[in-house]
Amino acid sequence: NAGVTQTPKFQVLKTGQSMTLQCAQDMNHNSMYWYRQDPGMGLRLIYYSASEGTTDKGEVPNGYNVSRLNKREFSLRLESAAPSQTSVYFCASSRTRTETQYFGPGTRLLVL
Amino acid sequence: AQSVTQPDIHITVSEGASLELRCNYSYGATPYLFWYVQSPGQGLQLLLKYFSGDTLVQGIKGFEAEFKRSQSSFNLRKPSVHWSDAAEYFCAVGVYAGGTSYGKLTFGQGTILTVHP
């Protein structure tokens, strides 16, 4: 049982480049989330999808877009990367929007 | 808005010693409370959670936490620390306002645990 998987594990971008972070879960969860983790700030929610077909903004959505491709997959896109988006990105999922969230291993992104 | 404070950024203990990691929250009602652990280069793993009922919660790896409403605290404890417990620990508060709102999870800043042999 893989749980939550994320690709890539590590990425280096130049300012202005775009990329998509992929996330998939095999737990048949309805809700999925994207967080960023920065030193000394814990995790902050970027976007979430309460159920298939819906997405909503979290605390820090600026500069990002998301797509809930199907029940399993939830992608995060950076259209024009900025150095301020250098961070570790975590995807999470939960059976419903009010239950425990389970996290993927993270994607480390460096924007030069 | 809810908030979570982990007062200790870094704690060092000797292997075999007891451990207590502090977590204080601010929220008007009874929140849902979580402790997660993150090993270097890894994702977050759930240690334990409190939704309701018994205020002393048992988790994995020998950890426990106690919800104290009067102190707005949810401290994590372990009676005897192992070298493999070295990691970063995050306390989180979940708020569910009902309706179509999502389960907003607010994290503390994290406490790094170092274990000396």
Side-chain angles (χ1 to χ4, degrees):
Chain A
N1 190 343
V4 180
T5 58
Q6 294 182 235
T7 56
K9 292 185 178 179
F10 182 71
Q11 183 73 46
V12 179
L13 292 178
K14 295 180 179 179
T15 296
Q17 287 185 317
S18 63
M19 78 161 295
T20 299
L21 283 65
Q22 305 288 352
C23 173
Q25 52 89 11
D26 62 2
M27 297 176 281
N28 200 35
H29 284 173
N30 293 300
S31 301
M32 299 185 73
Y33 312 81
W34 275 106
Y35 292 87
R36 60 178 288 172
Q37 182 182 32
D38 302 292
M41 301 187 72
L43 279 76
R44 293 178 293 168
L45 184 67
I46 304 171
Y47 270 93
Y48 69 100
S49 171
S51 60
E52 185 178 357
T54 68
T55 61
D56 285 284
K57 296 178 180 179
E59 300 173 61
V60 288
N62 292 344
Y64 305 95
N65 285 300
V66 291
S67 295
R68 183 75 182 267
L69 305 172
N70 48 55
K71 190 172 185 179
R72 291 187 63 249
E73 298 172 288
F74 189 39
S75 62
L76 177 72
R77 182 161 178 84
L78 286 71
E79 291 291 350
S80 179
S84 61
Q85 295 178 304
T86 293
S87 187
V88 181
Y89 292 86
F90 288 99
C91 178
S93 71
S94 60
R95 192 169 69 93
T96 69
R97 58 182 173 80
T98 60
E99 295 189 40
T100 302
Q101 295 179 22
Y102 295 89
F103 287 79
T107 294
R108 284 151 184 77
L109 176 65
L110 174 62
V111 182
L112 302 174
Chain B
Q2 70 278 7
S3 65
V4 180
T5 301
Q6 293 179 244
D8 304 305
I9 296 174
H10 195 171
I11 285 183
T12 300
V13 299
S14 299
E15 191 170 16
S18 63
L19 172 71
E20 182 170 32
L21 302 182
R22 295 183 292 165
C23 173
N24 295 97
Y25 69 90
S26 173
Y27 180 58
T30 300
Y32 299 93
L33 297 161
F34 306 83
W35 275 100
Y36 286 88
V37 60
Q38 183 180 30
S39 298
Q42 303 297 313
L44 278 74
Q45 181 183 19
L46 180 69
L47 282 175
L48 47 80
K49 60 186 178 185
Y50 172 78
F51 276 22
S52 64
D54 193 346
T55 57
L56 184 62
V57 181
Q58 302 298 321
I60 63 171
K61 304 185 178 186
F63 286 93
E64 67 177 26
E66 187 171 12
F67 170 56
K68 293 185 176 180
R69 184 191 305 273
S70 61
Q71 299 177 20
S72 297
S73 68
F74 189 57
N75 294 348
L76 182 71
R77 300 193 294 249
K78 187 169 185 178
S80 179
V81 171
H82 188 263
W83 64 266
S84 61
D85 294 325
E88 188 164 16
Y89 292 79
F90 292 93
C91 180
V93 171
V95 174
Y96 307 113
T100 59
S101 68
Y102 68 101
K104 178 176 172 59
L105 212 57
T106 299
F107 285 84
Q109 304 93 321
T111 298
I112 298 171
L113 174 65
T114 298
V115 181
H116 281 166

